Amino acid sequence: METETVTEKSLRRNLYRVLRKTGVNRDNICLTASFYEDLNFDNIDWTIFIHYLERIFNIRINDDELNSFSNVNDTLLYLRGELVFSSN
């Protein structure tokens, strides 16, 4: 159980690190933050975000999956699923 907590904290910390690399202000990062409305993502932000997300988490994200990311929590849920899937 404690390992899950550490993993969850690490996952969230790394996601927030990716958002910071994209230029998002730390104060604006929360699970409910919308990429378009709250974080003001544009095409360049998405490109940078996906680049770092794939690099840091060692995953590949296709366009269909990317369209399901409307807020930070959606991305976190996706990452949980990807990392569980890739560890099996």
Side-chain angles (χ1 to χ4, degrees), residues 52-68:
Y52 282 112
L53 205 60
E54 289 178 336
R55 188 168 158 209
I56 287 175
F57 290 100
N58 196 28
I59 59 173
R60 296 290 301 155
I61 302 171
N62 67 43
D63 291 340
D64 292 336
E65 294 165 327
L66 179 60
N67 292 331
S68 69

Side-chain angles (χ1 to χ4, degrees), residues 35-75:
F35 288 109
Y36 293 107
E37 295 168 14
D38 300 318
L39 304 180
N40 300 314
F41 264 41
D42 61 17
N43 288 339
I44 294 172
D45 294 323
W46 277 112
T47 302
I48 294 167
F49 179 68
I50 295 305
H51 169 77
Y52 282 112
L53 205 60
E54 289 178 336
R55 188 168 158 209
I56 287 175
F57 290 100
N58 196 28
I59 59 173
R60 296 290 301 155
I61 302 171
N62 67 43
D63 291 340
D64 292 336
E65 294 165 327
L66 179 60
N67 292 331
S68 69
F69 297 172
S70 62
N71 62 37
V72 174
N73 193 54
D74 291 341
T75 308

Side-chain angles (χ1 to χ4, degrees), residues 9-26:
K9 285 180 183 178
S10 175
L11 185 64
R12 190 178 295 192
R13 186 179 327 114
N14 283 328
L15 175 57
Y16 286 13
R17 191 172 85 188
V18 169
L19 288 165
R20 294 285 297 129
K21 287 183 174 286
T22 306
V24 175
N25 187 323
R26 182 174 306 204

